[in-house]
Structure formats: structure tokens, C-alpha cells
Amino acid sequence: MAAKKVAQPVVLVTWGLRTPFISLLAILLACLVVAAVYLTGNNGWLLEGLIVSSTSFSSTTTIGSSSGNSGSDHKCNLFVGKWIYDNVSYPLYSERQCSFMSDQVACEKFGRKDLDYQHWRWQPDHCDLPRFNATALLERLRGKRLVYVGDSLNRGQWVSMVCLVESVIQQPKLKSLHFTHNSSLIKFKAKEYNATIEFYWSPLLVESNSDDPLMHRLPDRIVRIQEIEKHARYWTDADILVFNTYLWWKRTYMKTIWGSFEDVEHGIYKEVPMLRSYEMALKTWSDWVEIHVNHTKTKMFFVSMSPTHQTGDEWGKRREENCYSERWPIMKEEYWGRGSNKNMMGIVGDALAKLRDRGVDVKLINITQLSEYRKEAHPSIYRKQWDALTEEQLRNPTTYSDCNHWCLPGLPDVWNELLYAHIFGFS
Ligand SMILES: *[C@@H]1O[C@H](CO)[C@@H](O)[C@H](O)[C@H]1NC(C)=O
Ligand SMILES: *[C@@H]1O[C@H](CO)[C@@H](O)[C@H](O)[C@H]1NC(C)=O
Ligand SMILES: *[C@@H]1O[C@H](CO)[C@@H](O)[C@H](O)[C@H]1NC(C)=O
Ligand SMILES: *[C@@H]1O[C@H](CO)[C@@H](O)[C@H](O)[C@H]1NC(C)=O
Ligand SMILES: *[C@@H]1O[C@H](CO)[C@@H](O)[C@H](O)[C@H]1NC(C)=O
Ligand SMILES: *[C@@H]1O[C@H](CO)[C@@H](O)[C@H](O)[C@H]1NC(C)=O
């Protein structure tokens, strides 16, 4: 039993501790850590303290079980668990007090009165999530760049992260936002820490005609399936990378070109079935991160698909209804709706497995199942509307409800707690 636990420091070897003496020391220390976890009985706060003060052990993985079966020696899967209503510890910040809140997700500001969606805690089955400590994260990011790369869901998670950390920086002049590269890149800077938390807009990861962060609502979507460098040059040297790409692929066929966009005018493109094009894009992305990202320096994460709640019959309403007016999560265990495509999930899983075979570790932050339950956590009608609403729409709010994005504070805060747990080596 004990021997199995200590087997974890194998990970340490890949972190560059190679001499036998240091390995021995590592194993001894790991024993201490494991012992400490048992002593603290379950929740691992002490482990957090140890890890924070000792960066080289950030890959220790096992945490004690909280549900009485501490005899089992499986790694705790943070993504399997349940939602607990907790209006004492949540939300982790207030919408109004976050200096960098986005109108796209500020549901309370845009009139939402039922605020229960802010009060849910994610409880993994066999352990607890570590408490989010903004100071500890900023310390960890000192002199570093944390960069989110992807679509508006990933941008929502980035806003959440900025809100989670900015409250511990009291003086306004020590925190700021900067827009660069035609706003493709947005940087939150924490001056005292010389740390940045950034978001880079590239909704399909590879190059596409939707790459303008402001004007991307085009009728015809075209991807340059083998091109990523135009974007990647801005994030390749980051210290932590958090990718996602999903919703923009949801169509039967994707117009795909290998040459430049001008070639489309000459008809050199192909309508490729979506799954195949998704696979090709992830191959382009994988090749890039394998060859160009320094794996010793950079930690990489991929956030799995964010579910939508567009058709109410999935949870017992009429099909024409959606997330509008929902106030409570779905309580059915292992609920899975039509908004999440398991085949696409599989393609991401395969891409990450292939990278792992080639020695490149990109951790999946598997938020899909846990987010499936949260039909009430979308903005629906409570967000900034970019276009004026028609009489027709106003009569029928379902028609303009946003059931893709998520209110803040809310679900994306939990995604970031999961990311935090992984950055600090909890799983
Ligand atoms: C928190 O939730 C409990 C149980 O639902 C409720 O009794 C209590 O009034 C709530 N407290 C606040 C401050 O909303
Ligand atoms: C948060 O982290 C900081 C820096 O590591 C530490 O000093 C502080 O005690 C932590 N706070 C809590 C509540 O754990
Ligand atoms: C600040 O961080 C950047 C990396 O993001 C680094 O290149 C630079 O040297 C740091 N500056 C100082 C003054 O530490
Ligand atoms: C910004 O957009 C303009 C006009 O589309 C373009 O000429 C320029 O190269 C872009 N700059 C960057 C840094 O992408
Ligand atoms: C990769 O990063 C490590 C750690 O920061 C550094 O020591 C090493 O020189 C880097 N390798 C390359 C090829 O830049
Ligand atoms: C993510 O988690 C779900 C539910 O726990 C699981 O069905 C799925 O296979 C996982 N995805 C991957 C790529 O591991």
C-alpha cells in the first residue's frame, strides 16, 4: 500500500531530478507528504501548504479520500462528483466588485434576480478541491505568463480567473488590462508580481476567417487546417497554457483549405466532414506544441467541451424551451445532453494520448460532465445584447436566450478551481 503511494514520485524524475541521492530524498519527502495527508485526515490543506512552499514537489498527486474509503489507492478523479448547494463559501467574489467583469457574463448587472447559480460547490467523490488562494497563485505566477487560448467560453474562464485573483490586489494602479495585436490578445497585469494572465482569441485554434476578435460573425466559416503559427507565435513561450476549442466546430461540414484564403476564390477548398476536420486541426495543434513549446518550462492544459442547454426536452421540458428561466441544476446522475458530442471528446482524448506517447504532457480539464448538470448557470436573457431586440423576440425570450456562455460568478470559477488544483499538483 505505502509502496504504491510512493510510486508517484516517478513523475518527479521527468521534472529533472535525476541523481540517485536526490531521488531518494524525493521519495523520503513524498512519504512525508503522504503521511501528512493522512494526518490532516482527508482534505489536504496541509498538503497545499507543503506544495506551495516547495515547487519541485508540485507533481505529487494522491490526496486522501473524504468519503471514508481511504483504503483505496486510486488517484482521486476531481471531475467525478456532485454539486452541493453552499451559500456560505460561494460565490468566491462579487460580480460588482470585480474590476474587470465582462458584460457578456455579468448576469446580475443585466437584471437576473435569482442568484442561486452563484452558490454551488463542486464536491469530487473521493477528495476535496483545494481552497483557491489568490495570493498563492500570484506567487506561483511571479515573473510568468498564464495564457488562455481559444473561444469565448475560454474567455469567460479567463475573466473568471482575473476576478478570482484581482481582489487581493488592493491598489488600482497595480493591476491593469492591455489589448494588443488588434485585441486578439488581452493581458491582465499584476504589477507587483510581474505576472500576466492573458487571453488569446483563436476560436478554432488553427487559422480561420473568424480570427478577428470583434468581427467574426461570418456566414461562411473557413479554416486553414494546417496553419497555426500566426496565432501560436504569441503564446508559444508562455509558462502555463490553457486551450479549448469546441463550439465553433459544431456543423456537419467544415470548409477547409490548405493554401491561403485567396485560394477560396479560385475554388481550391474542400467541404470536410466536421469530425475529420476537427481531428486534422488538433493534429496541427499537437504538432505545434510538441515541436515549439518548451515542455520543461510550460505546463499545458486542455479544457474539454462546454455543454449547451438549447433543447428543453433533454431534461423534461418542451423541446422549444431552453435554459431560459431555469433556476436549479439537473439532479439526474451522470446526466448527458445532446449539447456535448462524445465523438469530439474522443478526438481530444486521442490527441492528448498521442502527445503523451511522445513525451508531451497536456492535462485534460474534463469539465463536460460536471457542467452538463448546470442548465441554470447560463446568462439566458441577462447579458448585454449586441443587437437591438425585436418586438417578436421580446415577446418570446427563449428565442434570444444565451444558453452557451456562463454567468459570473459561477460555473467557470469551478473550472478554474480545477485548473488551480492541477497547477499545484493535486491531481
Ligand atoms: C443559505 O441556504 C440555507 C439553506 O438553503 C438557507 O436556509 C439560508 O437562509 C441561506 N442563507 C442566505 C444568507 O441566503
Ligand atoms: C494563501 O497563500 C499565501 C501565500 O502562499 C499564504 O501566506 C496564506 O496563508 C494563504 N492563505 C490561506 C487562507 O491559506
Ligand atoms: C517579468 O516577467 C517576464 C516574463 O513574463 C520576464 O521576461 C521579465 O524579465 C520579468 N521582469 C522582471 C523585472 O522580473
Ligand atoms: C491589425 O489589423 C490590421 C488591419 O486588418 C492589419 O493590417 C495588421 O497587420 C494587424 N496587426 C496585427 C498585429 O495583427
Ligand atoms: C526550456 O526551459 C528550461 C526551464 O526554463 C530551460 O532551462 C531550457 O533552457 C529551455 N530549453 C530551451 C531549448 O529553450
Ligand atoms: C471526461 O469525463 C467524462 C465523464 O466523467 C468521461 O465520459 C469522458 O470519457 C472523459 N473524457 C476524456 C477525454 O477522458
Side-chain angles (χ1 to χ4, degrees):
M1 200 29 256
K4 273 188 193 151
K5 293 265 179 202
V6 213
Q8 294 298 339
V10 170
V11 183
L12 294 172
V13 176
T14 63
W15 279 63
L17 298 177
R18 287 179 193 281
T19 72
F21 172 72
I22 295 180
S23 300
L24 186 64
L25 202 67
I27 288 169
L28 280 172
L29 267 163
C31 289
L32 267 177
V33 170
V34 171
V37 178
Y38 281 128
L39 290 177
T40 49
N42 311 336
N43 63 18
W45 298 142
L46 180 55
L47 178 59
E48 184 187 17
L50 283 173
I51 284 173
V52 171
S53 57
S54 159
T55 42
S56 46
F57 291 97
S58 57
S59 285
T60 313
T61 44
T62 320
I63 349 177
S65 162
S66 63
S67 49
N69 53 348
S70 53
S72 73
D73 60 344
H74 61 270
K75 248 162 81 170
C76 176
N77 182 344
L78 295 176
F79 310 118
V80 176
K82 57 180 175 299
W83 289 102
I84 309 271
Y85 187 79
D86 177 351
N87 57 5
V88 179
S89 2
Y90 287 77
L92 298 173
Y93 54 89
S94 102
E95 182 192 296
R96 230 162 313 165
Q97 271 157 20
C98 175
S99 325
F100 306 101
M101 183 51 72
S102 152
D103 280 352
Q104 198 168 36
V105 292
C107 300
E108 200 178 345
K109 175 175 170 187
F110 287 89
R112 187 156 178 181
K113 296 285 187 296
D114 62 303
L115 301 179
D116 283 336
Y117 67 88
Q118 300 186 355
H119 299 306
W120 292 89
R121 178 166 60 79
W122 178 246
Q123 178 62 60
D125 279 345
H126 299 289
C127 53
D128 293 337
L129 277 178
R131 205 178 336 214
F132 189 93
N133 181 332
T135 313
L137 185 64
L138 283 166
E139 285 294 348
R140 177 60 68 99
L141 294 178
R142 190 178 284 283
K144 295 195 160 75
R145 295 175 70 197
L146 161 59
V147 186
Y148 292 79
V149 180
D151 62 20
S152 56
L153 276 314
N154 211 20
R155 186 174 57 211
Q157 189 179 346
W158 168 79
V159 174
S160 153
M161 186 56 107
V162 170
C163 289
L164 282 166
V165 303
E166 68 98 27
S167 65
V168 300
I169 304 169
Q170 250 94 48
Q171 287 187 50
K173 67 173 199 290
L174 295 179
K175 50 187 174 185
S176 53
L177 273 198
H178 304 263
F179 294 77
T180 62
H181 310 299
N182 291 342
S183 297
S184 287
L185 187 64
I186 316 174
K187 287 187 190 196
F188 166 79
K189 282 192 186 171
K191 206 169 169 198
E192 281 170 293
Y193 294 88
N194 184 32
T196 61
I197 300 175
E198 312 175 24
F199 171 72
Y200 187 90
W201 172 260
S202 62
L204 297 123
L205 291 184
V206 292
E207 235 183 273
S208 77
N209 64 345
S210 304
D211 289 341
D212 186 317
L214 305 172
M215 310 257 287
H216 45 240
R217 302 252 159 246
L218 305 169
D220 212 10
R221 192 164 299 162
I222 307 165
V223 282
R224 291 184 74 193
I225 206 78
Q226 293 184 314
E227 305 298 327
I228 195 171
E229 190 269 340
K230 181 183 150 205
H231 300 311
R233 54 195 289 171
Y234 297 113
W235 49 252
T236 299
D237 69 343
D239 299 275
I240 302 176
L241 284 165
V242 183
F243 299 98
N244 91 326
T245 189
Y246 168 58
L247 268 188
W248 286 69
W249 295 92
K250 285 191 72 182
R251 44 186 60 209
T252 319
Y253 288 92
M254 194 60 108
K255 199 172 262 191
T256 303
I257 51 170
W258 276 259
S260 69
F261 286 121
E262 281 88 65
D263 292 337
V264 174
E265 283 151 34
H266 303 106
I268 308 177
Y269 64 83
K270 178 124 196 191
E271 302 263 4
V272 178
M274 181 279 286
L275 281 177
R276 183 71 187 106
S277 63
Y278 191 59
E279 198 177 13
M280 289 193 283
L282 286 177
K283 167 94 168 54
T284 301
W285 166 82
S286 301
D287 288 349
W288 179 275
V289 300
E290 180 193 353
I291 306 294
H292 295 282
V293 173
N294 180 341
H295 315 131
T296 318
K297 169 182 157 187
T298 306
K299 285 194 184 209
M300 289 185 276
F301 300 92
F302 199 105
V303 181
S304 68
M305 61 195 161
S306 167
T308 58
H309 293 89
Q310 306 286 8
T311 42
D313 57 331
E314 292 171 37
W315 60 90
K317 292 210 303 191
R318 288 184 304 126
R319 189 180 171 111
E320 308 76 68
E321 291 179 279
N322 57 21
C323 72
Y324 173 66
S325 80
E326 290 293 345
R327 294 172 163 232
W328 209 249
I330 293 166
M331 289 302 178
K332 185 169 168 265
E333 260 180 54
E334 293 189 32
Y335 170 79
W336 193 276
R338 287 194 294 270
S340 302
N341 182 328
K342 284 208 162 126
N343 292 327
M344 291 174 78
M345 170 83 92
I347 288 173
V348 172
D350 289 349
L352 301 194
K354 281 193 192 123
L355 276 171
R356 214 158 27 242
D357 289 346
R358 291 182 262 159
V360 183
D361 187 25
V362 180
K363 288 219 164 59
L364 185 74
I365 304 291
N366 192 345
I367 53 122
T368 308
Q369 173 80 74
L370 64 95
S371 306
E372 276 285 1
Y373 303 114
R374 300 299 305 276
K375 65 175 164 42
E376 92 298 0
H378 297 284
S380 74
I381 63 171
Y382 306 108
R383 53 163 285 185
K384 183 178 173 122
Q385 304 297 333
W386 303 112
D387 304 311
L389 297 167
T390 62
E391 292 279 315
E392 174 75 37
Q393 284 176 313
L394 287 168
R395 266 198 303 277
N396 188 1
T398 310
T399 57
Y400 69 97
S401 280
D402 175 353
C403 300
N404 292 336
H405 300 97
W406 306 94
C407 299
L408 288 183
L411 178 62
D413 302 329
V414 173
W415 301 352
N416 278 322
E417 289 188 284
L418 291 162
L419 176 67
Y420 178 94
H422 281 82
I423 289 175
F424 283 97
F426 274 80
S427 200

